[in-house]
Amino acid sequence: MTNLILPPAWKIADREATPEAVYVNRRTLLKELGFAAGAIAGSALLPAQADARSLDSLKQELAALPPLAAQRNPAFVVEDPLTPIEVAARYNNFYEFTTDKDVWEEIEQFKPRPWTLEVAGLVEHPRTYDVDDLIKRMPVEERVYRHRCVEAWSMVVPWVGFPLRALLKEAGPTSGAKYVKFTSFLRPEEAQRQGRRSFFGA
């Protein structure tokens, strides 16, 4: 009996991969061509005609989010100014919803609360957390990162969260544990692209 292995849509042949020499010299090439990541980001992120009403609505929703008490970690700083929040919030990837960058237009059905996080496996203290209770237990801090994408755009964004090591310390991995596995949500009724076979590479 012969088993047929059908590669996912994103799989390419080795012969089609970018040669290592080209990849390594990409940054130099862009520099020589006079591209500036910030300038590219500025022109690519902003729509040709911004919808003022949508922006105002987005700002109001962001302002309504409860603030997290977090001190900035001085080990993670960027000298460049922060990307405006209305730009950072409107331009991102989340393939569970869409392959376009306008994810914020596709998430009306998504319900981020209530949200639980299960810690299981080779740990001494398996537990299911309510995400808000978990945040209260953890050492929350703010870090500022510069994100550079291979698509030639970049952002400087503050992130608020806690170090993974804090959660691992509470979970207490056993001596047999070697890896940490993350499993995201699966709710096709809220994230429409999860209901497509192509999303899973089939």
Side-chain angles (χ1 to χ4, degrees):
M1 181 176 179
T2 303
N3 292 325
L4 296 178
I5 300 177
L6 299 177
W10 50 263
K11 180 71 174 179
I12 65 172
D14 291 342
R15 66 179 181 277
E16 297 176 348
T18 302
E20 182 178 2
V22 175
Y23 170 78
V24 171
N25 289 327
R26 177 179 179 275
R27 185 181 299 272
T28 302
L29 176 62
L30 291 176
K31 183 176 180 180
E32 291 175 352
L33 291 175
F35 286 107
I40 293 174
S43 61
L45 300 183
L46 296 177
Q49 294 182 343
D51 186 334
R53 183 170 55 184
S54 296
L55 281 176
D56 290 341
S57 176
L58 179 62
K59 289 179 180 179
Q60 291 174 4
E61 291 181 19
L62 292 172
L65 294 176
L68 292 176
Q71 293 186 345
R72 180 168 295 182
N73 187 330
F76 299 88
V77 295
V78 178
E79 295 181 359
D80 296 338
L82 298 180
T83 301
I85 190 169
E86 61 267 24
V87 174
R90 284 166 55 98
Y91 192 89
N92 42 64
N93 294 330
F94 208 141
Y95 291 158
E96 281 79 354
F97 297 97
T98 177
T99 56
D100 296 326
K101 296 293 190 291
D102 298 326
V103 178
W104 65 283
E105 297 179 344
E106 307 290 342
I107 59 174
E108 291 184 5
Q109 303 300 319
F110 183 60
K111 298 177 179 62
R113 294 293 190 279
W115 195 276
T116 57
L117 174 70
E118 181 185 9
V119 178
L122 300 178
V123 294
E124 297 176 357
H125 309 291
R127 179 174 176 176
T128 298
Y129 296 89
D130 173 81
V131 69
D132 294 307
D133 292 338
L134 175 63
I135 291 172
K136 294 176 182 177
R137 298 172 64 91
M138 295 289 108
V140 177
E141 64 182 47
E142 179 184 274
R143 298 181 180 185
V144 178
Y145 288 106
R146 179 187 289 109
H147 300 269
R148 297 187 183 277
C149 182
V150 295
E151 296 174 342
W153 57 267
S154 65
M155 292 186 186
V156 177
V157 181
W159 287 83
V160 176
F162 56 84
L164 176 60
R165 67 173 179 272
L167 180 58
L168 294 179
K169 181 178 180 181
E170 179 160 317
T174 65
S175 59
K178 295 182 178 180
Y179 308 100
V180 178
K181 177 183 177 181
F182 296 89
T183 302
S184 184
F185 73 100
L186 179 59
R187 301 205 295 258
E189 67 279 8
E190 297 180 24
Q192 58 271 23
R193 290 197 74 249
Q194 287 186 338
R196 300 180 183 180
R197 287 172 54 92
S198 59
F199 178 78
F200 299 96

